Amino acid sequence: MSTNIMIPNKTAVQKLWDNIRIVKNAYDSWKFKSAGYREYGLYHSDLYNDDNAVVAEAVRRLPEHVYEARVHRMHRAMQLSRNKIILPESMWPKEDEPMQHYLEPYIKEVQKELAERAEWDKR
Amino acid sequence: MYIAKRGFAKLTDTAKAAAQAAASQSRSGSDRSPSSSSSSSPRSSSHSQHPHFGHEGHVLRVTRLPNDLLVATEDHASPLARICVAVKAGSRYEPAELPGLTHHLRGVASCATKQCSAFGLSRNLEQLGASFRASTTRDLMLYTLEVSRQNLKEAIKFLSYATTQQEFKAWEVHDAQDRLLVDLDILKIHPEVRLVELLHKAAYRDGLKNSLYAPRFTAGNYHGSMLTEFAKATFKTNRMAISGVGVSHDELLNYAQKYFKMDVGEKEHALTPWSAVTNIEPVDHRVHHINGGNIVSEPARYGGGEAYEETIDCLTYAAYVTEGPGLNEPRQLLALKLLQHVIGGSSKIKWGRGVSPLARAAASATNEPFAVNPVSFDHADSSLFGVAVVCNPKDARNVLRATIDILHGKEGVDQQRLEQAKNRLASAILMGHESGAELVQDMATQALINKQILTPEDAANMVGKISLEELIMAAKHALAGRATFAAVGNLAYCPRLDDVA
């Protein structure tokens, strides 16, 4: 049962980086679970505070349905916190869900635009 | 993030550049063909010291690229290069359910593109000393860039981003509603513009009835995805033309092939395209599909009719028109314009009312101030030809009757008046195109609409050849059709169409 597929052996450096990645993923996973926001049904991006001008502008740019979902989740979390209960485990958001970081691209874009303005103002 | 790496040029740099350009100028001068050098040598000798002028004189050159993009240039001895990109995305191609979409498109002309942000676009153009404006006619969307010749190389990139790689971000379209509302407020104090829009609404049955201005309820209610779909359907190279005045043909061809390709893949974005970035499912039920991605071009359908807008005003603005030939029939159209100059030219003296037949007829019908003009609104395959009147409301009926009689030929026309009108029309054409800005937009318009581009000199020559019989024939043909009547302002005493026709 010999095959023609050649799988190259990994170098020592590659193996090292693999191990670091495993450790990092485990640490990230532990961080996510212990942070405490997923029990209230919040995403990572919901934690950004609107008081910051950059975040406020990013939130303004969200599509309507995303913004409304964000507001709904925040209201639900506030209600749960007031009543000192948490959601059932089936409703907790998953770690690998892409919606966890829905605000990141908008924040990056706003930061890019501010940096561009600052760069031009320097001249 | 593109930032022009150019400050103020140092004196040594310009001197070096001037020396280099002068050297290349003398080299290229020897390569010129005999015919062009004989016609342009007097000019070139006086400009040989000038570093940036390698012009060919008033020679019109047109090329159609393999992707159906038309490029037309007239290389004048001008330090300013003017480029106009015309796209068949005027108000007649708007989808019926989305009135005013092209007004929104006009408002976001300077907004984010795939390669640079709105701020970057305006700052870079400002740094290069360029001016960029977008205007819409009923047939076309015109984007004009005016920049000095040496900066054209950098500036034309931004023109291509703004015309072929628009991004239409949802929040920018939303923010542009302020500009839209300013436009609509300006419209409130210009009843004559509202009159023209009303006239088209009454006269045409299909696309041409669409107004250039959006209805107020659309402000803030149109989504970027609608604009994206519209642009995808209309901004195609077989619907575009680039014209240049003050730039050599080879140079503009080079830019057209390099930048106006319209097939920028996702990988070539400098900024991350929004479709690739966000993992969010677009839940937008407001997106309209425009005939499956293709705009169907229908010929203009003229119907005629009446339309009125009563407002609080001390004047009546009225217009009476019939259908005439479009820009695709230049000779017939010029004959009608000649008729315009026969029955009435505008007064050349300030505050004067002129001695044209129209002015005299109106003056006999009213003692109050008035303004009477022959008008012609030209589109690709149809035009509206007639008279427009502004007068005291009480005298509206008499003034309109008198001027429409003149329009229908009450005073007649003879050879002498024809010659006078020919002179007036020829000089109006030539003087109107003295500015390169008018010329470049006209060239781009004609490139898309006609099979051939008429330069102002060609048009003036054509005018000289029109005979009296041709003029009378054209007039009879145009005035035989069903009329359209529109009025704006104080309509208390305004007659209806059957009262004046």
Side-chain angles (χ1 to χ4, degrees), chain B residues 97-425:
Chain B
E97 306 96 359
L98 301 176
L101 194 63
T102 46
H103 193 181
H104 285 76
L105 185 62
R106 201 157 74 233
V108 298
S110 65
C111 285
T113 63
K114 294 185 175 121
Q115 303 283 346
C116 64
S117 65
F119 178 78
L121 184 73
S122 71
R123 276 297 176 101
N124 277 306
L125 284 177
E126 183 186 46
Q127 193 76 351
L128 295 167
S131 94
F132 171 66
R133 59 176 192 277
S135 49
T136 320
T137 61
R138 290 197 141 76
D139 299 302
L140 306 171
M141 197 66 205
L142 297 162
Y143 297 94
T144 316
L145 176 79
E146 291 167 352
V147 68
S148 68
R149 270 178 110 128
Q150 67 257 39
N151 288 341
L152 179 62
K153 194 159 168 224
E154 304 274 343
I156 194 146
K157 272 190 259 186
F158 295 102
L159 178 67
S160 73
Y161 300 156
T163 49
T164 59
Q165 297 182 40
Q166 304 112 322
E167 188 74 58
F168 301 125
K169 300 203 167 124
W171 58 90
E172 288 195 323
V173 175
H174 182 82
D175 291 342
Q177 65 173 302
D178 296 330
R179 283 194 283 278
L180 197 109
L181 291 171
V182 168
D183 275 349
L184 294 178
D185 283 339
I186 289 173
L187 208 54
K188 276 192 205 167
I189 55 169
H190 284 287
E192 66 274 8
V193 181
R194 297 203 306 266
L195 175 67
V196 175
E197 303 300 310
L198 211 59
L199 201 63
H200 282 87
K201 197 156 148 192
Y204 290 105
R205 298 291 173 258
D206 271 337
L208 278 175
K209 75 171 177 345
N210 294 338
S211 171
L212 293 172
Y213 298 95
R216 202 168 271 267
F217 64 79
T218 60
N221 285 329
Y222 278 175
H223 201 254
S225 52
M226 300 172 181
L227 287 172
T228 314
E229 288 227 5
F230 182 66
K232 228 195 297 186
T234 51
F235 281 67
K236 298 183 172 159
T237 47
N238 63 348
R239 298 170 69 97
M240 284 168 65
I242 307 180
S243 67
V245 165
V247 60
S248 75
H249 195 66
D250 297 322
E251 195 182 346
L252 192 59
L253 266 184
N254 191 20
Y255 296 140
Q257 282 163 331
K258 205 155 119 185
Y259 296 121
F260 289 86
K261 276 190 298 213
M262 300 295 304
D263 57 355
V264 172
E266 297 277 308
K267 286 193 285 287
E268 292 175 43
H269 288 219
L271 305 179
T272 326
W274 276 96
S275 50
V277 151
T278 51
N279 301 311
I280 298 163
E281 302 290 317
V283 176
D284 202 348
H285 48 272
R286 292 168 291 178
V287 172
H288 292 250
H289 295 279
I290 302 172
N291 279 337
N294 286 312
I295 293 277
V296 176
S297 284
E298 290 158 2
R301 268 206 302 151
Y302 176 85
E306 315 170 56
Y308 303 93
E309 184 192 321
E310 188 145 19
T311 58
I312 300 171
D313 207 324
C314 51
L315 297 168
T316 305
Y317 301 75
Y320 173 95
V321 294
T322 52
E323 196 193 8
L327 286 167
N328 58 353
E329 297 170 336
R331 190 156 177 136
Q332 288 89 320
L333 187 61
L334 284 174
L336 276 186
K337 287 201 184 283
L338 203 53
L339 181 65
Q340 281 183 32
H341 278 88
V342 167
I343 60 176
S346 49
S347 167
K348 299 283 182 284
I349 299 172
K350 212 173 177 182
W351 312 123
R353 38 171 73 163
V355 293
S356 58
L358 271 184
R360 276 185 279 120
S364 69
T366 177
N367 292 326
E368 303 283 322
F370 64 86
V372 177
N373 274 319
V375 287
S376 156
F377 305 109
D378 315 318
H379 311 299
D381 47 2
S382 170
S383 68
L384 294 178
F385 163 73
V387 288
V389 160
V390 181
C391 63
N392 183 38
K394 287 216 172 85
D395 298 321
R397 188 154 173 268
N398 295 334
V399 172
L400 276 165
R401 275 208 167 157
T403 50
I404 291 169
D405 280 341
I406 300 284
L407 177 69
H408 283 286
K410 183 166 163 205
E411 274 215 15
V413 55
D414 56 6
Q415 196 60 35
Q416 189 207 10
R417 294 170 71 186
L418 179 69
E419 292 305 315
Q420 287 173 346
K422 279 187 187 178
N423 288 336
R424 278 200 286 269
L425 179 57

Side-chain angles (χ1 to χ4, degrees), chain A residues 57 60-66 98-99 101-102 105-106 109 112-113 115-121 123, chain B residues 1-4 6 117 119-120 123-124 127 169 171 175 271-272 274 277-281 283 286:
Chain A
E57 176 63 24
R60 185 187 81 92
R61 293 180 179 195
L62 284 175
E64 273 182 32
H65 60 286
V66 179
M99 276 298 271
H101 297 95
Y102 62 82
Y106 295 93
E109 171 117 6
K112 245 198 239 180
E113 288 181 9
E116 192 183 14
R117 241 173 239 268
E119 179 75 44
W120 276 94
D121 285 341
R123 299 152 155 248
Chain B
M1 191 162 92
Y2 179 90
I3 300 175
R6 177 195 306 272
S117 65
F119 178 78
R123 276 297 176 101
N124 277 306
Q127 193 76 351
K169 300 203 167 124
W171 58 90
D175 291 342
L271 305 179
T272 326
W274 276 96
V277 151
T278 51
N279 301 311
I280 298 163
E281 302 290 317
V283 176
R286 292 168 291 178

